[in-house]
């Protein structure tokens, strides 16, 4: 994880194999990169529907047509669906905006600010909506979807969320503040390479975390056996 932190900062400011750099709002960046505000980039920021049709407590159930996200569903910069709530089709159709499309990135903007998740084909739910404490980031030509996901969860952006967030007891990240954040836009072929490297590091971390969990369980079981006397310790 320490390696990833340093590597991501390097990738999103220095790129891959560059020798010529320019001064930008995010520090030095390769000459052929663009550095623009989010509001001037090919990213659409989509808020959730906060109107009269916003679901009330009685509208939620443990199963249904459309998954309605809560902050527990986005942890560790990925989706977690162990504690999920759903709304019926009629309620879903009554809402105007805030529904995910494949390739969208979700960002939490209230309470726990800056958690990120990517709605790719690995997510089995076909109908998902964000709640009022989240934003959808949807890309257009000029920025790759997976690059956007890895960028938005990078240390470079995580630090900026905290800098522009408002409130202390209940931090919030308004759209107008998020729009002012500068982001790097390499050429699309380099975006793909950066995404591949970041994804490979994420997978390595995941493998190591699973191994650590197994070793922790093994140690816990062994300690219980030793302390209960089920396993005798031989001394020489």
């Amino acid at each position: 994880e320490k390696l990833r932190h340093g590597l991501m900062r390097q990738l999103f400011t220095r790129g891959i194999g560059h020798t010529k750099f320019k001064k930008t709002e995010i520090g030095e960046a390769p000459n052929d990169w663009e550095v623009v505000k989010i509001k001037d980039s090919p990213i659409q920021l989509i808020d959730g529907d906060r109107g009269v049709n916003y679901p009330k407590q009685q509208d939620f159930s443990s199963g249904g047509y459309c998954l309605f996200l809560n902050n527990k569903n986005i942890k560790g910069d990925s989706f977690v669906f162990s504690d999920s709530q759903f709304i019926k089709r009629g309620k879903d159709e009554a809402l105007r905006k805030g529904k995910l499309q494949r390739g969208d990135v979700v960002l939490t903007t209230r309470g726990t600010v800056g958690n990120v998740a990517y709605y790719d084909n690995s997510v089995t739910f076909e109908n998902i909506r964000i709640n009022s404490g989240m934003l959808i980031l949807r890309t257009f030509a000029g920025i790759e979807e997976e690059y956007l996901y890895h960028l938005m969860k990078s240390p470079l952006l995580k630090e900026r969320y905290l800098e522009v967030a408002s409130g202390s007891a209940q931090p919030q990240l308004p759209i107008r503040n998020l729009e002012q954040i500068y982001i790097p836009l390499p050429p699309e072929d380099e975006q793909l390479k950066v995404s591949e490297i970041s994804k490979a590091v994420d997978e390595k971390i995941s493998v190591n975390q699973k191994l650590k969990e197994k070793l922790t369980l093994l140690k816990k079981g062994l300690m219980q056996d030793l302390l209960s006397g089920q396993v005798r310790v031989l001394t020489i």
Side-chain angles (χ1 to χ4, degrees):
E1 288 175 348
K2 289 181 180 178
L3 167 66
R4 183 187 182 282
H5 189 278
L7 180 61
M8 292 307 101
R9 187 177 295 279
Q10 178 83 3
L11 283 174
F12 289 109
T13 55
R14 308 288 290 181
I16 302 171
H18 293 277
T19 57
K20 295 182 179 180
F21 299 89
K22 60 186 178 182
K23 290 184 178 180
T24 73
E25 290 79 5
I26 63 170
E28 282 196 342
N31 279 350
D32 61 343
W33 284 23
E34 288 186 77
V35 176
V36 298
K37 290 182 178 180
I38 288 179
K39 73 181 184 68
D40 299 321
S41 72
I43 300 171
Q44 182 184 8
L45 301 179
I46 304 170
D47 206 349
D49 191 326
R50 305 186 186 197
V52 295
N53 292 314
Y54 191 84
K56 299 178 175 60
Q57 190 59 43
Q58 61 266 27
D59 295 317
F60 295 119
S61 61
S62 59
Y65 175 75
C66 180
L67 175 66
F68 200 88
L69 293 174
N70 60 68
N71 277 17
K72 294 179 181 178
N73 295 138
I74 302 179
K75 292 182 179 180
D77 294 321
S78 60
F79 285 118
V80 177
F81 298 119
S82 55
D83 186 3
S84 300
Q85 55 190 12
F86 297 81
I87 56 175
K88 294 180 179 179
R89 185 168 192 153
K91 174 58 69 173
D92 170 60
E93 292 175 348
L95 296 168
R96 296 174 294 110
K97 57 181 181 176
K99 192 163 187 176
L100 295 183
Q101 297 178 9
R102 296 287 177 182
D104 284 348
V105 174
V106 181
L107 174 70
T108 59
T109 57
R110 191 172 66 213
T112 303
V113 169
N115 283 354
V116 182
Y118 180 42
Y119 185 43
D120 61 5
N121 291 326
S122 68
V123 179
T124 57
F125 297 102
E126 291 296 330
N127 297 284
I128 304 181
R129 283 189 176 276
I130 60 172
N131 70 8
S132 58
M134 300 175 180
L135 284 176
I136 295 171
L137 288 82
R138 187 168 293 161
T139 65
F140 297 100
I143 182 167
E144 296 291 330
E145 297 166 349
E146 198 162 352
Y147 172 80
L148 176 62
Y149 166 60
H150 290 287
L151 171 64
M152 299 308 290
K153 70 187 184 79
S154 70
L156 180 70
L157 270 290
K158 293 274 189 180
E159 291 171 2
R160 294 294 292 131
Y161 302 147
L162 298 178
E163 290 173 4
V164 303
S166 59
S168 54
Q170 179 80 341
Q172 297 189 47
L173 181 58
I175 287 182
R176 64 181 180 275
N177 294 13
L178 182 63
E179 288 178 330
Q180 300 305 311
I181 293 177
Y182 283 90
I183 60 171
L185 290 181
E188 289 186 63
D189 60 338
E190 191 169 0
Q191 290 180 28
L192 292 172
K193 292 177 183 176
V194 169
S195 298
E196 288 172 4
I197 294 171
S198 182
K199 186 176 180 180
V201 174
D202 286 346
E203 290 172 353
K204 180 66 173 177
I205 290 174
S206 178
V207 169
N208 284 333
Q209 285 174 338
K210 290 176 182 177
L211 177 59
K212 180 176 179 289
E213 289 170 4
K214 289 180 180 179
L215 292 173
T216 301
L217 287 173
L218 178 63
K219 179 188 175 186
K220 184 178 179 181
L222 178 59
M223 293 303 295
Q224 287 176 342
D225 290 344
L226 288 170
L227 293 172
S228 65
Q230 293 182 31
V231 174
R232 298 179 62 187
V233 179
L234 299 179
T235 58
I236 299 175

